Amino acid sequence: MSESINLHDDPRFAGVLEDLDAIETKLLENGKLMGLTGTVASSVTIEFGMHGEGAEAEPSILIKVTTPDDTYVDADDDILDDFEDFVIEELENASLEWSQEVKDSLGDDRQVVLLINGEEC
C-alpha cells in the first residue's frame, strides 16, 4: 500500500474520486451534514490521506467538515457515530466496484478520522 497517493493525478482513481464526491453530495442532500453542524452553510470533503504528526502519521480516511466562521459544533456521540457510520457504509458499498489494483493501492487498514474545523472529534 502506498501511503501518499495523489488520487487527482492518477487516472486509475477517477472512479474513487467520483464516489467520494457522490458521498459528499448524499451527506448534504439527506440532511446528515446539517444534522451534525446545525447549519446548511457547512461543507464536507472526504479524502484518503495521512493523519497525525511526523512518524506517528497513519494512512487515514479523512472526513473534513467545515462550518462558517469555524462555528463550534457540539454534536452528541450518537450523531457523530451515525455520521461516521454512514460514510463508512457508503465507502464500503462504493469500493465493491473498484478494481483490485485500486483497493490494494488504497489499503484496507485505514482509520477513519472525523475533523470538524480541523479538530478531531
Side-chain angles (χ1 to χ4, degrees):
M1 168 187 66
S2 173
E3 293 180 358
S4 60
I5 300 170
N6 188 337
L7 300 180
H8 297 279
D9 290 341
D10 191 330
R12 295 177 299 163
F13 298 106
V16 174
L17 292 173
E18 289 174 13
D19 290 335
L20 295 178
D21 286 342
I23 295 168
E24 293 165 7
T25 299
K26 284 182 185 179
L27 288 166
L28 293 168
E29 290 176 348
N30 68 14
K32 288 200 180 292
L33 183 60
M34 201 297 220
L36 176 69
T37 64
T39 177
V40 295
S42 299
S43 64
V44 62
T45 303
I46 304 166
E47 57 188 49
F48 287 82
M50 300 295 288
H51 180 70
E53 299 286 328
E56 301 293 316
E58 296 181 58
S60 305
I61 297 170
L62 305 172
I63 307 168
K64 297 179 176 181
V65 174
T66 305
T67 61
D69 301 319
D70 292 335
T71 302
Y72 178 73
V73 173
D74 187 23
D76 67 32
D77 288 342
D78 289 338
I79 293 173
L80 292 169
D81 290 343
D82 181 57
F83 191 86
E84 284 183 4
D85 290 347
F86 178 83
V87 173
I88 292 167
E89 184 177 329
E90 290 292 318
L91 281 170
E92 287 173 353
N93 290 337
S95 71
L96 296 174
E97 302 297 320
W98 301 343
S99 72
Q100 191 59 48
E101 178 185 15
V102 166
K103 289 178 191 179
D104 291 345
S105 296
L106 295 174
D108 60 358
D109 60 346
R110 289 179 180 262
Q111 65 178 336
V112 176
V113 180
L114 175 59
L115 301 166
I116 300 179
N117 297 323
E119 297 293 322
E120 188 171 353
C121 296

